[in-house]
Amino acid sequence: MIVGTAGHIDHGKTSLVRALTGVDTDRLKEEKHRGISIDLGFAYMPVEGLETIGFVDVPGHEKFIHTMLAGASGIDFVLLVVAADDGVMPQTREHLAIVDLLGTEQGVVAITKADLVTDGRLAEVEKAMRDTLSGTALAEAIMIPVSTVSGSGVALLRDEIVAAAHNLKRRQTSGRFRLAVDRSFTIQGAGTVVTGTVLSGQVSVEDWLTISPSGLEARVRSIHAQNRPSEIGRAGDRCALNLVGPGITKTAIGRGDVVCDHSLHAPTSRIDATLRVLGSEPKPIGHWFPVRLHHASAEVGARIVLLADEPVTPGARTLVQLVLERPIAAAAGDRYVVRDTSARRTIGGGSFLDLRAPARKRRTQERMAQLAALSSSEPRQTIEALLAVPPYLVDIGAFARDWAMAAGEAEALSESLNVVQLKSDAATLAMSMESWQRLRRDILARLRSFHADNPDLLGIGVERLRAQLEFRLPAPAFRAALHALVREGETVLDGAWVRLAEHRVTMTPADERLWKDIEPLLGGSERFRPPRVRDIAGLLAVPEGEVRRLLKLSSRMGRVHEVAHDHFFLRDVVAEMVAVMDEISAAAEQGWFTAMQFRDRLENGRKVAIQILDFFDRHSVTLRRGDLRRLNRNRLDFFGNLSNAVTAAARVLSDAQRSL
């Protein structure tokens, strides 16, 4: 169990921790000289039959509230200290508000310096504290008068803390590992050591981890958990990790960083969250209000974006978007606190709902429904609720990452909910069986209708079909849904077109005979510079208009593409040229290549190469910047299966090498 102190400056927090543990947590020279805590202090109390209890002693001065917040995050039990002679003071109230905002529900009140006052004064302080605690999670907390001089009440206080440790439900270790760093230093002969509270999961010696948000990788050389050497550190422990790796130094890692499992490294700077404004706030919080955001051990500037129409009045709760000055490492459900930019007062706090908040359309009815679904603290309930609101699907991998779930836990959860999994290269998406059947019926019905109205067309454009559906899925999700129907044998996906599997576009026998004469002319070794309509007409002694009509029909059927006026290329050849560009782009600096490089790979003329590239520009397969072009990787499959085209491109390279 981790116990955190809270209370006004000079109310005896450090002396009380020393009386309980025998450890002086004031370790800095300035702290010894001034007699006040400036930075976080740490102490440990071994208990027979229990794991060691850790103490985080925080400074009480208003100038060091940011340090207090770094220590208060992750504590299990609060030791709220108030001096009998002073009574309730400003930082007593502010510290209490902070631990309440952070969700700490267990604690005890120690009324220190009890030997300096009368029984009547003690009764006054107890009543004032009870009034102060009213409305918080600590409203029923036990109050114990103590004196660190005489030792009165210290044993009783220790017994109360030990009893709480016996009853504490240990944090789950099934999630992925996260440790919020509050100190980073060097030990001679060992190297860099970081300390902090383990927020979730567990870590073992020799594990490789990521420092987020920087992205540095490190290996765990050794572990101290609860002040003892250990092979593992678990959720709820105070841990010291000896880290090694490229770039790992005490200055490369600092307070506010999170040491975590590799899969959790996904820093965010835009978060949708709940917000409770303290009743002590002097006026309502408006749109784009500047604050200092405190999360775990991190502090960062932020703006509050209101998701409601009206300003947030003191004491009210609402939904907001937090736009941060720099990214932080976080997880869904984490608590946070916001203070004013001058660091004079705590404004409020809440919990994170969505770490990937949208910059646009953040107030729509659909978005509000999603945030309502995300408000549950239980992953199963959250997934069920998300599947019932637009867009009716959940990215299982992203959900597991943002909730710091263990490997396979989210997949097992989605399978237990009887969902349909739509898999793509980028993600595995879950959709309820009911929603999937509605989507499937809608797609098939619209394809039947399209084929009935357009029997001579190969199929409908993927984006056009997506825009017509009742379920407006994001483009990657819709592609995954189409691939699922392809696997079931109900549809065929051909680049930018989709059709029913049984749909066939046929030519008349005469057209088929002519096509069989034309097709060889467009393929073979000359496929990258095929003859134009007039040249084909001359070679076959067929009227030019008849050749043009048949090639236009073939284009609608998806057999060819008209790259330039009267210049048709076989569809497979177009896909092959995309694969050639992909190879050139991969070898080019930042992916930018020239028309000359493309021309040389195809052994083509400059004019035809430019016409081909202009064609790709029009279809957004390439992005142009002056004389340079780069592939739009989101459109690589626009003209068909790229993997098949890569094989063909390899054949081009082999042919070119043999000709040298």
Side-chain angles (χ1 to χ4, degrees), residues 126 133 227 269 332:
E126 286 187 17
L133 294 173
N227 207 35
S269 59

Side-chain angles (χ1 to χ4, degrees), residues 407-426:
E409 188 178 347
E411 288 83 352
L413 183 57
S414 67
E415 289 175 3
S416 72
L417 292 171
N418 190 30
V419 299
V420 174
Q421 292 193 1
L422 307 177
K423 297 187 177 182
S424 67
D425 293 339

Side-chain angles (χ1 to χ4, degrees), residues 21-220:
T21 67
V23 177
D24 184 359
T25 58
D26 281 348
R27 54 189 170 81
L28 302 178
K29 183 183 294 185
E30 187 177 357
E31 291 177 319
K32 300 289 188 184
H33 175 70
R34 296 173 61 182
I36 64 171
S37 297
I38 295 173
D39 205 348
L40 300 176
F42 307 98
Y44 298 90
M45 185 171 74
V47 179
E48 187 175 350
L50 274 179
E51 294 182 352
T52 299
I53 297 175
F55 286 77
V56 180
D57 185 27
V58 305
H61 196 288
E62 64 175 345
K63 290 183 179 180
F64 304 120
I65 292 290
H66 65 287
T67 304
M68 178 270 174
L69 276 155
S73 297
I75 66 173
D76 304 301
F77 188 91
V78 61
L79 175 57
L80 182 58
V81 178
V82 58
D85 53 353
D86 275 351
V88 177
M89 296 293 281
Q91 267 58 66
T92 312
R93 292 189 173 90
E94 187 167 19
H95 282 204
L96 174 61
I98 287 170
V99 296
D100 193 47
L101 289 168
L102 292 175
T104 306
E105 298 180 347
Q106 298 186 63
V108 63
V109 177
I111 303 178
T112 57
K113 306 183 184 181
D115 56 325
L116 301 180
V117 300
T118 64
D119 291 343
R121 174 58 180 169
L122 273 177
E124 288 178 11
V125 174
E126 286 187 17
K127 183 181 184 307
M129 275 305 300
R130 191 62 67 192
D131 292 341
T132 303
L133 294 173
S134 178
T136 73
L138 299 177
E140 303 301 322
I142 293 173
M143 298 188 189
I144 302 175
V146 297
S147 169
T148 57
V149 175
S150 67
S152 172
V154 172
L156 181 59
L157 178 60
R158 183 185 291 110
D159 290 344
E160 184 64 29
I161 293 172
V162 170
H166 275 290
N167 296 325
L168 181 72
K169 184 179 179 181
R170 187 174 181 92
R171 299 186 199 182
Q172 293 291 325
T173 59
S174 58
R176 293 188 184 270
F177 178 75
R178 292 193 300 148
L179 177 142
V181 176
D182 50 42
R183 282 197 301 165
S184 178
F185 51 92
T186 300
I187 295 180
Q188 189 171 3
T192 302
V193 175
V194 299
T195 68
T197 301
V198 181
L199 303 177
S200 64
Q202 67 178 43
V203 65
S204 301
V205 173
E206 297 300 327
D207 282 354
W208 278 89
L209 302 169
T210 298
I211 315 301
S212 194
S214 68
L216 288 173
E217 294 189 353
R219 178 174 58 84
V220 180

Side-chain angles (χ1 to χ4, degrees), residues 213-378:
S214 68
L216 288 173
E217 294 189 353
R219 178 174 58 84
V220 180
R221 177 184 281 170
S222 64
I223 299 172
H224 268 64
Q226 298 296 83
N227 207 35
R228 294 179 178 177
S230 177
E231 289 297 310
I232 63 170
R234 299 180 295 175
D237 286 345
R238 282 287 310 170
C239 274
L241 305 181
N242 180 198
L243 301 177
V244 293
I248 297 298
T249 64
K250 72 172 184 179
T251 55
I253 311 172
R255 179 173 292 172
D257 287 336
V258 173
V259 183
C260 62
D261 184 280
H262 297 306
S263 65
L264 300 186
H265 174 56
T268 177
S269 59
R270 188 181 295 273
I271 306 169
D272 280 350
T274 63
L275 172 66
R276 172 164 68 94
V277 177
L278 295 178
S280 58
E281 188 63 13
K283 58 183 179 180
I285 303 300
H287 190 67
W288 207 242
F289 189 83
V291 293
R292 299 298 296 176
L293 181 139
H294 299 264
H295 161 260
S297 59
E299 178 188 0
V300 61
R303 294 275 184 169
I304 294 177
V305 178
L306 300 182
L307 300 182
D309 294 330
E310 300 297 328
V312 193
T313 56
R317 299 171 186 266
T318 189
L319 296 174
V320 297
Q321 185 169 109
L322 302 166
V323 181
L324 314 185
E325 290 180 356
R326 58 177 174 79
I328 62 170
D334 283 357
R335 296 274 187 153
Y336 73 95
V337 169
V338 287
R339 305 190 77 230
D340 74 307
T341 53
S342 63
R344 292 179 179 175
R345 69 185 190 278
T346 297
I347 293 170
S351 59
F352 295 154
L353 297 179
D354 189 352
L355 306 182
R356 318 296 156 193
R360 298 174 60 250
K361 298 183 179 180
R362 52 195 170 204
R363 290 183 172 188
T364 64
Q365 184 176 355
E366 179 177 312
R367 183 58 185 164
M368 291 300 104
Q370 292 169 6
L371 291 179
L374 288 163
S375 63
S376 172
S377 60
E378 292 296 326

Side-chain angles (χ1 to χ4, degrees), residues 425 483 486 492-495 527-528 571-580 582-583 636-652:
D425 293 339
H483 282 297
V486 169
V492 173
L493 186 60
D494 188 3
R527 61 190 179 281
F528 297 132
R571 179 168 177 76
D572 288 346
V573 173
V574 173
E576 193 177 339
M577 292 189 293
V578 173
V580 169
D582 188 35
E583 287 189 8
L636 285 187
D637 63 347
F638 191 79
F639 292 106
N641 189 322
L642 183 62
S643 61
N644 293 339
V646 169
T647 302
R651 186 179 67 247
V652 174

